[in-house]
Amino acid sequence: MKTIGRLLIFFIILIMGVAGLAFYWTFYKPLPDYEITLSLDGLQEPVTIQWDDFGIPHIYAANEPDVYYALGYVHAQDRLWQMTVSQILAEGRFAEFFGNEEELIQLDKYQRTLGFWRTAKQLEKEVLNEQERTLLTAYSNGINTYIDENRNKLPVEFALTGIEPIRWEPTRTLAIARMVGWDMNTSWWTEVTYSYLKSILPPEQFEELRLRFPEDAPTTLNDDESGRLTTATMPMLRQEMDRRKLLNQQGSQVGSNAWVVDGSKTETGYPMLAGDPHMGLFMPGIWYEVHLNVQGKNVSGATTPGVPFVVVGQNDHSAWSITSIMADDTDFFLEQVDPADRGQYVADSLNDTTAVFEPFLKTREIIKVKNGDEIVHEVRYTRHGPIISDIYPSPELTNDQVISMRWTGYENTNEMRALYGINWSKNFQQFKEALPHFGVPGMNFVYGDVSGNIAMYSRALIPIRSGDPLTLRNGWDPSQDWTGFIPFEEMPSLINPEKGWIANANNKITTDVYPYYIATFWEPPSRIRRIETLLTSDSVFTSDDFQRFQTDSYSSFAASVTPVVLDILNSQAVYDFSQAASYLENWNYEYTPTETAATIFDAFFLKFTENTLKDEFGEEAYAHFLQHEIVPVRTLSQLLNTESPLFDDVTTDAVESRSDIVVQSMRDALLFLSDSLGNEPFEWRWENVHTVTLSPPIFKEAARAPDAGAGLKMMVNNVLSKGPYPAVAHGMSINNGQYNWKEPFEMVLGASIRRIADLSDMSKTYSILPTGQSGNPFSVHFGDQTEDWVNGSYKWLVQDSSLFSRNTRLMRLEPPKNQ
């Protein structure tokens, strides 16, 4: 028995040792050694990398190819899984790597039809010059060197999925850039929904839904400065929403604040710039911060893993940030097929009896399927673009109509050239010369420099076209085609305004004097109103002021709506709303953790939107209407000041008024809150309902599946995720905290980074990420900035090595000695 006992103890120790070794090998071995000297093929000269307290690499190189080679190496070191997933998505290879589930096959067909990889290959061939190709190749070589040198210690996600890293090439960088452009292309969601609503609603009701930017709302520039078959595109919208849910990209996915003041409004006499792009929140985040130094020249800021250039940042002379233009850059065309030859379509209908036919262009895509047979997917194209109706899972919904899509992302633009030029620009003129190369996605570039200049340039490839933007276009009618693009010199811009500041919060940029159509679905004016109030609240500002502004939770939207609601509630005598009314009457319209009024207001507005519109819209159209938060907010804000027939509930015999719906909505809201949170209003505080959890794309949805194992759920919820945290924010406040209206109130979109640059001192910048630098869940830099981000704190990103802390770690990359 003693022998058996000893053997049992031995085996237990052995098993524990093997388990511990496996745990170490899987989770801890992939962690980088920040104090190591490496001999790496592909380098021309030695490179040093200083790692600061937050895992930000400060890369010092003697030439540009080496600095981008090193950047590729560290991107792969910290974000290889994220980069791999982006490539699987860009190429449409989910079924190949993850299995033969029908939804993954449909996703691959969708991605292949959208054609990011095809477009990237076109750009790589036709757009890049020799210098750009050299730098992107050096960056790719750095990524591939990391893969080759570390195949035995890859991040845990590779072990969990059995996937091997994908080797990099310049085309992959271009594919990521185009896919980001598509992810920010959201106007078409609402165009499709509005087109459908136009087909089912009486004309007078539809007219009340048309969005009008308030006449008294701020525009960035003032006057002196600057149909039919509509159900056919709904299936594509459903597929896009499924795609975004899998990738943890819910919410509108667009937004941002950026403002800059000149030296007349700062204590130092130099401009100061703030920017916080709003994007989906997941783990790890979209941005990776870097500082690059080439022979004493500096550029620092936020990069996207897979792309080597700084998107928002600063150099030795200037700082810049971006906001989305909200540009309408997509149209859908109904095509006519030649009845005598299904391989042709009508390119031009000259008259009632004569037509010009052209053959569909076709490509054959081979979709590999894990544990399944290969699938051949044919993509057809007209002169407008791909036939998107071919990928609908239910063709009967379109009555066999053929619909093509034209998107500016299929045009040749060179964002790599633009970003490279901005990164290393030495003055305002060089910055401006880089901008014309940028086209997708549409962006406002907000700028300040050490010479005292401030500016904003809107840069996008925006088509010139006529007709109703909410109607399908006739592909056989050339008069409905695009007739070019708005010239760069005629795009909105603002330079050194007399008022001393420039701001944009995705609001309407120009007044109606502007001759071109840019967009319809601007963000509500809530954020820009508040920014304008703050920027005119004092004559001089500091970086501390800008930090306070970026984390401001005041809602101009709530401030304008609440008094109207209270007037209606207080004027009726049937129901006792005194308790709720008391909270609302004493509310300062800030979404702080202890606010009960904030929760009451949001619960009310959700119910008010549903009770007003769902009966007319139907289930599916209403769900899509909610997908883009700006639309219900702007629509219901307009309707609340009218006696619209939309307030009548068509499912009842009575004729409901605006007051009826307001009262019913408040009753529904209070019942919802008491049922879900308890009867005491103190339990309804904003911190108890509005939370943020940072979770990994794909794994989050896998863990939510009904058949998900306990081990996977534990791994995702306790290892790969961070949160939940109470979130001080709201979709209508500067500190954006948008939640999914179909699943309130979990936050899905917010500041993907906050940056403040004081141009009087280019050696450092205030910044904070919602996650951290590393994608490895066992790294100290996995989520090490999250609590500071939630609490509104900042760190320094420095460009001066003398400011580094004593904890700085030094990595050396050297070419082989025999090279």
Side-chain angles (χ1 to χ4, degrees), residues 644-705:
S644 169
L646 287 167
F647 288 124
D648 178 36
D649 185 348
V650 299
T651 66
T652 71
D653 294 332
V655 178
E656 286 80 10
S657 66
R658 177 187 66 157
S659 295
D660 294 330
I661 297 301
V662 168
V663 170
Q664 181 61 46
S665 300
M666 183 57 76
R667 291 184 65 207
D668 291 345
L670 297 178
L671 286 172
F672 163 74
L673 293 175
S674 60
D675 287 345
S676 57
L677 297 172
N679 293 323
E680 297 297 332
F682 73 83
E683 298 176 301
W684 305 349
R685 293 177 301 186
W686 191 238
E687 65 184 350
N688 292 337
V689 297
H690 191 244
T691 62
V692 59
T693 300
L694 303 163
S695 301
I698 302 176
F699 285 102
K700 176 182 178 180
E701 285 303 306
R704 286 185 171 184

Side-chain angles (χ1 to χ4, degrees), residues 420-432:
Y420 171 82
I422 291 170
N423 283 191
W424 299 105
S425 60
K426 297 179 181 179
N427 51 51
F428 189 23
Q429 183 62 32
Q430 291 185 1
F431 172 83
K432 289 189 293 185

Side-chain angles (χ1 to χ4, degrees), residues 148-377:
D148 293 340
E149 297 287 327
N150 295 276
R151 287 191 179 275
N152 65 339
K153 52 178 183 177
L154 297 173
V156 60
E157 292 90 346
F158 290 98
L160 293 174
T161 60
I163 292 174
E164 290 291 324
I166 297 174
R167 293 186 66 78
W168 214 260
E169 58 184 283
T171 310
R172 301 198 183 283
T173 292
L174 300 174
I176 285 180
R178 269 305 187 260
M179 197 160 57
V180 169
W182 176 259
D183 288 340
M184 298 190 70
N185 168 29
T186 58
S187 288
W188 72 268
W189 306 357
T190 308
E191 285 186 21
V192 168
T193 303
Y194 261 65
S195 296
Y196 174 73
L197 293 173
K198 187 175 183 179
S199 72
I200 66 171
L201 295 176
E204 64 275 11
Q205 290 188 6
F206 179 77
E207 284 303 312
E208 295 201 356
L209 294 175
R210 283 190 180 273
L211 298 182
R212 300 167 180 83
F213 204 73
E215 293 183 2
D216 63 341
T219 54
T220 302
L221 281 69
N222 59 35
D223 283 342
D224 297 330
E225 298 163 339
S226 88
R228 53 196 194 78
L229 296 172
T230 51
T231 59
T233 46
M234 291 292 277
M236 182 179 177
L237 185 53
R238 288 198 295 270
Q239 289 179 299
E240 179 67 15
M241 295 306 106
D242 290 342
R243 169 188 180 269
R244 290 176 182 260
K245 186 175 182 181
L246 175 67
L247 301 174
N248 213 5
Q249 292 181 345
Q250 300 181 72
S252 65
Q253 292 306 308
V254 294
S256 304
N257 306 307
W259 62 83
V260 61
V261 299
D262 66 21
S264 70
K265 298 183 74 66
T266 66
E267 290 183 346
T268 64
Y270 284 83
M272 191 161 57
L273 180 145
D276 54 310
H278 304 156
M279 305 186 79
L281 300 173
F282 39 81
M283 184 64 89
I286 187 172
W287 301 116
Y288 184 91
E289 292 185 288
V290 300
H291 163 221
L292 310 178
N293 180 294
V294 178
Q295 294 185 352
K297 297 182 297 181
N298 298 285
V299 61
S300 63
T303 62
T304 299
V307 179
F309 304 119
V310 171
V311 180
V312 290
Q314 68 183 68
N315 56 34
D316 295 320
H317 311 279
S318 62
W320 63 93
S321 194
I322 56 174
T323 65
S324 172
I325 293 177
M326 315 295 284
D328 182 354
D329 56 9
T330 304
D331 277 326
F332 298 93
F333 291 81
L334 179 66
E335 307 286 2
Q336 284 187 347
V337 179
D338 181 357
D341 182 354
R342 301 292 294 177
Q344 295 191 128
Y345 68 97
V346 179
D348 187 352
S349 181
L350 300 176
N351 51 54
D352 292 338
T353 60
T354 307
V356 176
F357 296 97
E358 291 185 3
F360 288 103
L361 296 178
K362 299 178 181 179
T363 62
R364 291 169 62 85
E365 299 281 345
I366 306 299
I367 298 176
K368 297 180 180 180
V369 180
K370 185 178 182 180
N371 301 322
D373 297 329
E374 291 182 347
I375 296 173
V376 178
H377 174 58

Side-chain angles (χ1 to χ4, degrees), residues 527-546:
R527 285 188 284 122
I528 191 63
R529 286 189 195 276
R530 180 60 171 170
I531 292 170
E532 182 179 60
T533 297
L534 294 174
L535 291 181
T536 56
S537 63
D538 205 342
S539 57
V540 176
F541 300 104
T542 67
S543 58
D544 288 342
D545 293 322
F546 276 21

Side-chain angles (χ1 to χ4, degrees), residues 116 146 173 349 404 429 451 505 525 567 575 608 616 653 814-815:
F116 305 118
Y146 179 83
T173 292
S349 181
S404 64
Q429 183 62 32
S451 298
D567 283 346
Y575 301 100
F608 178 61
E616 283 92 358
D653 294 332
E814 299 177 349

Side-chain angles (χ1 to χ4, degrees), residues 67-225:
V67 84
Y68 289 116
Y69 176 102
L71 179 57
Y73 189 91
V74 300
H75 270 172
Q77 173 182 278
D78 284 335
R79 299 288 188 90
L80 185 59
W81 171 252
Q82 182 182 35
M83 296 162 67
T84 300
V85 170
S86 71
Q87 287 312 300
I88 293 173
L89 182 65
E91 291 187 71
R93 297 171 65 186
F94 267 87
E96 176 183 347
F97 289 100
F98 291 99
N100 59 0
E101 288 80 4
E102 182 60 29
E103 60 266 30
L104 296 182
I105 295 171
Q106 288 298 329
L107 175 60
D108 286 346
K109 289 181 178 180
Y110 185 76
Q111 294 294 107
R112 304 284 181 108
T113 302
L114 292 179
F116 305 118
W117 186 244
R118 182 175 186 267
T119 301
K121 289 193 290 186
Q122 169 189 312
L123 295 174
E124 196 275 336
K125 179 181 179 181
E126 299 177 6
V127 171
L128 295 183
N129 62 26
E130 183 177 351
Q131 180 192 34
E132 292 150 7
R133 200 179 305 276
T134 296
L135 297 182
L136 292 182
T137 298
Y139 175 74
S140 300
N141 290 342
I143 297 170
N144 294 332
T145 298
Y146 179 83
I147 293 172
D148 293 340
E149 297 287 327
N150 295 276
R151 287 191 179 275
N152 65 339
K153 52 178 183 177
L154 297 173
V156 60
E157 292 90 346
F158 290 98
L160 293 174
T161 60
I163 292 174
E164 290 291 324
I166 297 174
R167 293 186 66 78
W168 214 260
E169 58 184 283
T171 310
R172 301 198 183 283
T173 292
L174 300 174
I176 285 180
R178 269 305 187 260
M179 197 160 57
V180 169
W182 176 259
D183 288 340
M184 298 190 70
N185 168 29
T186 58
S187 288
W188 72 268
W189 306 357
T190 308
E191 285 186 21
V192 168
T193 303
Y194 261 65
S195 296
Y196 174 73
L197 293 173
K198 187 175 183 179
S199 72
I200 66 171
L201 295 176
E204 64 275 11
Q205 290 188 6
F206 179 77
E207 284 303 312
E208 295 201 356
L209 294 175
R210 283 190 180 273
L211 298 182
R212 300 167 180 83
F213 204 73
E215 293 183 2
D216 63 341
T219 54
T220 302
L221 281 69
N222 59 35
D223 283 342
D224 297 330
E225 298 163 339

